[in-house]
């Protein structure tokens, strides 16, 4: 079989197609024939070695992948041949609070999904929603679960709340869809007028071009009658955090989905915004994907509400480097898929 490996960091040219025997599953393992994978922004960070968890050189990349169970080990009880499954981003995070002893990730410290076949422990897998194609389901393990976690806990968004999303990447688009499923009002930010109609079709009640309206927090306050939003899905990092704080209502929550620039500029951020955060009693909560139990709950909701993920572009297994370069450019609406189906 043919897996890709991350041989060299810093460029998509360092992702090399290799050959190896089809692996045999151990007693508690499952052999999966991969049908589709998806590239997340974290995969670009891993490639460029700016990811918080140091990746292992020679790793099979990508955490987001789905496929069909081919065979199972003798002790496997959760899956059978023919089941449609996805890998869990944090392989060992079953439920509750994550800790460093269960922080291993597919495609980073553990071999990922960019291969024709993979062997995974049965506890590292979930069944995918029956209403989705392989390509649609490949969008779920990272982007969708991150958006789900940002909205559902521990202070879940309720019907009638107002949610602010930033951009049109996978997390932001899923956040729009899930927030509308919950019954929230959604204000979406984008840099391109050409994406207005698509965001509205997904459920955004208001769309703002943050390039044309650089002080967009003022417009957000106007659209909420001066109150501000109750939840910000903060995917912009240092570039948008200050205005996110200004756009937030008293007692709101800002979920930090992207750490880009925030850590490295923490002193500047604290000096300029800490007083406002304190006075408005804003809760700031980092979100790092989610547990297997959350993944399973999200999949039940996707199936019940027939939610369809947004796919921007589909590449073939031979076009992996092109797909990486496209995601790195950051212009997509929704997710970028590599199909093996």
């Amino acid at each position: 079989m043919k897996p890709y490996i991350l041989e060299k960091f810093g460029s998509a040219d360092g992702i090399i197609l290799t050959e190896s025997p089809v692996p045999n599953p151990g007693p508690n393992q499952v052999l999966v024939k991969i049908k589709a994978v998806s590239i997340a922004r974290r995969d670009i960070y891993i490639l460029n070695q700016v990811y918080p968890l140091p990746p292992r050189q020679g790793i099979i990349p990508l955490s987001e992948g789905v496929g069909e169970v081919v065979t199972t080990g003798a002790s496997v009880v959760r899956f059978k041949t023919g089941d449609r499954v996805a890998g869990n981003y944090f392989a060992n995070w079953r439920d509750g609070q994550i800790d460093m002893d269960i922080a291993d990730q597919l495609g980073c410290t553990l071999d990922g999904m960019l291969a024709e076949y993979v062997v995974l422990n049965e506890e590292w897998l979930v069944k995918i929603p029956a209403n989705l194609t392989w390509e649609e389901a490949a969008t779920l393990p990272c982007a969708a679960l991150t958006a789900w976690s940002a909205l559902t806990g521990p202070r879940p968004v309720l019907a009638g709340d107002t949610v602010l999303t930033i951009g049109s990447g996978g997390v932001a688009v899923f956040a729009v869809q899930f927030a509308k499923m919950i019954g929230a009002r959604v204000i979406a930010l984008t840099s391109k007028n050409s994406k207005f109609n698509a965001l509205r079709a997904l459920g955004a009640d208001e769309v703002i071009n943050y390039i044309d309206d650089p002080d967009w927090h003022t417009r957000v306050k106007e659209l909420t009658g001066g109150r501000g939003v109750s939840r910000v899905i903060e995917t912009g990092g240092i570039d948008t955090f200050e205005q996110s704080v200004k756009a937030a209502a008293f007692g709101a929550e800002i979920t930090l989905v992207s750490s880009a620039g925030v850590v490295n500029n923490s002193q500047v951020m604290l000096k300029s915004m800490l007083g406002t955060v304190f006075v408005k009693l804003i809760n700031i909560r980092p979100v790092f994907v989610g547990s297997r139990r959350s993944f399973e709950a999200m999949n039940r909701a996707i199936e019940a509400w027939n939610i369809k993920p947004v796919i921007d572009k589909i590449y073939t297994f031979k076009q992996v480097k092109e797909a990486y370069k496209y995601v790195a450019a950051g212009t997509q609406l929704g997710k970028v898929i590599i199909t093996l189906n």
Side-chain angles (χ1 to χ4, degrees):
M1 67 118 179
K2 294 181 179 180
Y4 279 90
I5 64 168
L6 182 49
E7 186 175 79
K8 294 180 181 179
F9 297 104
S11 167
D13 293 331
I15 303 168
I16 306 299
L17 185 62
T18 62
E19 290 190 6
S20 64
V22 175
N24 293 314
N28 297 103
Q29 294 179 324
V30 175
L31 176 65
V32 180
K33 181 176 176 59
I34 298 299
K35 298 291 188 177
V37 295
S38 178
I39 303 177
R41 288 295 300 176
R42 70 76 97 151
D43 299 306
I44 306 302
Y45 297 152
I46 287 173
L47 179 64
N48 293 325
Q49 292 185 290
V50 293
Y51 192 63
L53 190 64
R56 177 166 60 85
Q57 189 172 11
I59 203 81
I60 297 174
L62 303 189
S63 64
E64 297 187 282
V66 295
E68 183 177 356
V69 173
V70 176
T71 187
T72 63
S75 300
V76 170
V77 295
R78 298 185 64 237
F79 301 100
K80 64 183 185 302
T81 299
D83 281 346
R84 303 169 76 234
V85 296
N88 193 44
Y89 183 100
F90 285 101
N92 295 302
W93 185 10
R94 183 171 181 267
D95 198 9
Q97 178 65 43
I98 194 169
D99 209 335
M100 285 306 298
D101 62 339
I102 53 172
D104 279 325
Q105 299 174 14
L106 299 179
C108 182
T109 57
L110 301 170
D111 277 333
M113 308 296 278
L114 191 56
E116 292 179 317
Y117 292 88
V118 300
V119 163
L120 300 171
N121 187 289
E122 66 171 323
E123 299 295 336
W124 299 1
L125 293 166
V126 302
K127 291 183 179 180
I128 61 176
N131 63 312
L132 301 187
T133 66
W134 292 116
E135 290 75 18
E136 290 169 339
T139 68
L140 301 180
C142 181
L145 187 52
T146 300
W148 177 264
S149 298
L151 292 165
T152 61
R155 292 173 53 186
V157 169
L158 303 176
D161 287 345
T162 302
V163 174
L164 176 67
T165 65
I166 301 172
S168 55
V171 174
V173 167
F174 273 115
V176 172
Q177 292 177 291
F178 290 149
K180 292 309 294 183
M181 179 192 74
I182 293 167
R185 182 189 182 201
V186 178
I187 300 174
L189 301 181
T190 180
S191 62
K192 292 182 172 60
N193 290 339
S194 60
K195 295 180 179 179
F196 274 40
N197 288 339
L199 289 168
R200 287 194 177 108
L202 290 169
D205 298 280
E206 306 284 350
V207 184
I208 301 170
N209 186 318
Y210 61 83
I211 301 296
D212 294 343
D213 196 350
D215 293 324
W216 47 262
H217 72 275
T218 302
R219 180 62 179 149
V220 171
K221 294 295 285 291
E222 290 174 355
L223 291 171
T224 56
R227 181 177 183 275
V229 299
S230 46
R231 181 67 51 92
V232 180
I233 312 301
E234 176 51 83
T235 56
I238 194 70
D239 294 333
T240 53
F241 183 79
E242 182 175 354
Q243 291 206 61
S244 291
V245 171
K246 293 178 179 178
F250 185 90
E253 178 172 293
I254 298 175
T255 54
L256 288 179
V257 173
S258 171
S259 63
V262 173
V263 175
N264 292 336
N265 294 277
S266 58
Q267 289 185 343
V268 175
M269 182 69 67
L270 287 172
K271 287 179 180 179
S272 63
M273 299 309 302
L274 188 57
T276 303
V277 169
F278 182 81
V279 169
K280 295 172 71 174
L281 297 179
I282 295 171
N283 181 50
I284 298 173
R285 180 171 64 95
V287 174
F288 210 164
V289 195
S291 67
R292 196 189 85 198
R293 285 287 182 88
S294 293
F295 197 171
E296 291 166 338
M298 178 190 73
N299 286 349
R300 291 193 294 270
I302 288 171
E303 190 168 330
W305 286 84
N306 194 29
I307 291 175
K308 291 290 188 176
V310 177
I311 295 174
D312 181 273
K313 201 166 185 178
I314 297 178
Y315 289 88
T316 69
F317 193 59
K318 295 180 179 180
Q319 296 176 307
V320 165
K321 295 177 183 180
E322 292 92 329
Y324 261 83
K325 292 173 183 176
Y326 183 69
V327 173
T331 60
Q332 75 270 18
L333 175 70
K335 294 292 290 180
V336 175
I337 302 298
I338 298 167
T339 185
L340 291 77
N341 191 19

